Amino acid sequence: GAGVSQSPSNKVTEKGKDVELRCDPISGHTALYWYRQSLGQGLEFLIYFQGNSAPDKSGLPSDRFSAERTGGSVSTLTIQRTQQEDSAVYLCASSLQAQDTQYFGPGTRLTVL
Amino acid sequence: EDKVVQSPLSLVVHEGDTVTLNCSYEVTNFRSLLWYKQEKKAPTFLFMLTSSGIEKKSGRLSSILDKKELFSILNITATQTGDSAVYLCAVAKSRAGNNRKLIWGLGTSLAVNP
């Protein structure tokens, strides 16, 4: 079946603009995770969804970052008033409920000029 | 504070060599340890280990977990240029509810030269 998909694959924006990143998880996967990976760095957890609720938002770096998930499927990560330090690859992963193995999408490379 | 440490940070070998990558952890309420391979953007799943001493094997790759000494190794035999990637180690904790947020190491960057 289809894997995790993300769009866009690349996004270049100007400082101060808002951006929306989309994640479409594997069908039937109720858990969804957003991560950020800056150049040469490890994976930084942002937020976890179980169904449409987000019981763990502890990794969101500031109130400029928000995420939602609708219908227990597609999720959108929104970054408002982007800053240059937001430049990174944003990765989405999904998993079956209560399973440890996460399956990753191809990521969105965000560049803030 | 929970942490996962991988070593070495980077490694350069020749095709045909055997490599061993290390992952040590200090994590409360350990549940499982996972290995991923990251070539361009998306990490791809390799192994999940939950029990000590039981080797997981897939082709030229194998991995084992030692829960007493708190580490895991990933072995790659007869390396090929296609094995060049960053290898990531992550640990899952037992948490209330279904949250399986992983704690990630920084990875080992492996370069296999022809």
Side-chain angles (χ1 to χ4, degrees), chain A residues 22-29 32 51-52 68-76:
Chain A
R22 176 188 168 107
C23 172
D24 205 335
I26 293 171
S27 178
H29 282 195
L32 186 147
N52 291 336
E68 65 174 15
R69 189 178 185 195
T70 55
S73 181
V74 172
S75 176
T76 303

Side-chain angles (χ1 to χ4, degrees), chain B residues 43-110:
Chain B
T44 53
F45 171 73
L46 294 175
F47 299 111
M48 184 177 78
L49 303 152
T50 55
S51 300
S52 276
I54 298 174
E55 185 183 56
K56 291 281 185 90
K57 194 170 173 66
S58 176
R60 297 176 293 103
L61 278 67
S62 64
S63 184
I64 198 161
L65 174 67
D66 185 327
K67 291 169 71 174
K68 182 180 176 185
E69 300 298 329
L70 308 182
F71 77 93
S72 173
I73 59 172
L74 176 69
N75 279 320
I76 309 174
T77 59
T79 51
Q80 301 172 357
T81 54
D83 295 327
S84 296
V86 175
Y87 290 83
L88 296 167
C89 172
V91 171
K93 298 178 55 156
S94 293
R95 292 186 177 88
N98 296 317
N99 189 347
R100 294 293 181 260
K101 180 173 74 175
L102 300 176
I103 302 160
W104 294 86
L106 293 180
T108 292
S109 177
L110 174 66

Side-chain angles (χ1 to χ4, degrees), chain A residues 3-90:
Chain A
V4 179
S5 61
Q6 292 186 246
S7 61
S9 56
N10 286 284
K11 176 73 177 177
V12 180
T13 190
E14 293 179 348
K15 178 180 171 181
K17 301 277 190 177
D18 298 351
V19 295
E20 282 190 355
L21 311 180
R22 176 188 168 107
C23 172
D24 205 335
I26 293 171
S27 178
H29 282 195
T30 56
L32 186 147
Y33 302 80
W34 282 99
Y35 294 90
R36 177 169 74 172
Q37 188 173 34
S38 302
L39 190 62
Q41 301 298 309
L43 288 167
E44 177 189 4
F45 167 80
L46 298 177
I47 187 169
Y48 154 67
F49 283 94
Q50 180 59 43
N52 291 336
S53 64
D56 189 346
K57 306 178 184 179
S58 60
L60 294 177
S62 75
D63 59 8
R64 296 187 295 106
F65 287 72
S66 63
E68 65 174 15
R69 189 178 185 195
T70 55
S73 181
V74 172
S75 176
T76 303
L77 177 69
T78 301
I79 309 173
Q80 295 179 310
R81 306 180 302 283
T82 51
Q83 304 294 312
Q84 288 183 331
E85 61 263 29
D86 299 335
S87 296
V89 174
Y90 289 81

